[in-house]
Amino acid sequence: FDLEFAQYVKADVDLRYTQMIDKANSVVYRLYLGGGIPYGNSTQGLPFVKKYYIGGANSIRAWQVRTLGPGSYSGGALFNQIADMKLLFNLEYRFDIISFLEGALFVDAGNIWALDPSDDREGALFEFDRFYKEVALGTGLGFRMDFSFFILRFDFGMPLYNPAFPENERWLAEFDELNFNDFTLNFGIGYPF
């Protein structure tokens, strides 16, 4: 009936490993890779709801949801910061503070990229010779309140490397003076991964 319907191939890999140091301390690792490619009738790319976004309580906690990427792209509204591919790595050291209060130190790295060569957002396209320069890096401190039937989580993140800035100004030392606004508070239920 001349109606376009979505045809695409999409795959995600989410690997997690917990290294127990002792009863009160552990290190948790996570690697997430995902990508999708449209074909056939899908002339407009992946459906909006199937595209990837990054930032927020369960990915790179130094940025709010959909405020990072794709690639080194920096000029968008939240609805435009989605893409066809995602790379994410998290490292979190978890420790007990007192009875129901736990702490965490974390480092998050990753980004999203467009795979469609017709994407007109500057810096959004995945390219092997520069993608590693567009991997964002953030760190922070978190607190978890373990009520045994659920966990309330607060993470304070700070960007260390921001690929949206010009290449010689991406590291924290190159940012302007730090302000309270440079820190991101994320709230969540349960562990991030």
Side-chain angles (χ1 to χ4, degrees):
F1 300 106
D2 292 327
L3 294 176
E4 183 176 320
F5 58 93
Q7 288 182 296
Y8 60 91
V9 174
K10 184 177 177 188
D12 299 318
V13 176
D14 190 353
L15 303 172
R16 303 166 188 213
Y17 177 72
T18 302
Q19 179 183 6
M20 297 300 295
I21 298 170
D22 59 32
K23 185 178 177 183
N25 296 281
S26 62
V27 179
V28 185
Y29 308 87
R30 177 187 188 200
L31 175 65
Y32 182 97
L33 301 164
I37 300 172
Y39 68 91
N41 288 317
S42 294
T43 60
Q44 302 297 318
L46 291 176
F48 182 84
V49 297
K50 297 298 181 180
K51 289 196 178 251
Y52 296 95
Y53 62 90
I54 201 159
N58 295 321
S59 69
I60 300 185
R61 292 164 276 184
W63 280 267
Q64 292 291 337
V65 174
R66 295 185 187 201
T67 58
L68 177 61
S72 59
Y73 177 68
S74 64
L78 296 180
F79 69 88
N80 203 24
Q81 293 191 256
I82 55 176
D84 309 315
M85 179 182 160
K86 181 176 182 176
L87 170 64
L88 175 65
F89 176 75
N90 306 96
L91 172 67
E92 186 169 281
Y93 169 59
R94 297 176 181 165
F95 55 93
D96 289 347
I97 298 175
I98 56 172
S99 64
F100 71 94
L101 185 62
E102 300 172 2
L105 299 172
F106 59 84
V107 175
D108 303 324
N111 207 335
I112 55 174
W113 289 272
L115 296 175
D116 182 0
S118 66
D119 193 309
D120 62 353
R121 295 173 292 176
E122 186 178 342
L125 198 60
F126 178 84
E127 295 179 4
F128 276 108
D129 62 339
R130 70 178 170 94
F131 87 93
Y132 63 92
K133 296 178 185 177
E134 298 171 340
V135 173
L137 182 64
T139 190
L141 172 68
F143 298 98
R144 288 89 167 93
M145 291 180 235
D146 188 349
F147 298 108
S148 56
F149 54 93
F150 76 96
I151 295 172
L152 251 162
R153 177 169 48 94
F154 299 92
D155 290 323
F156 298 89
M158 179 181 70
L160 295 177
Y161 182 82
N162 190 341
F165 291 158
E167 273 196 62
N168 57 346
E169 299 174 12
R170 291 181 176 175
W171 285 100
L172 177 65
E174 302 295 329
F175 296 179
D176 292 336
E177 291 182 21
L178 284 178
N179 298 316
F180 185 72
N181 294 341
D182 294 327
F183 294 86
T184 302
L185 170 63
N186 285 290
F187 168 76
I189 305 291
Y191 289 112
F193 50 90

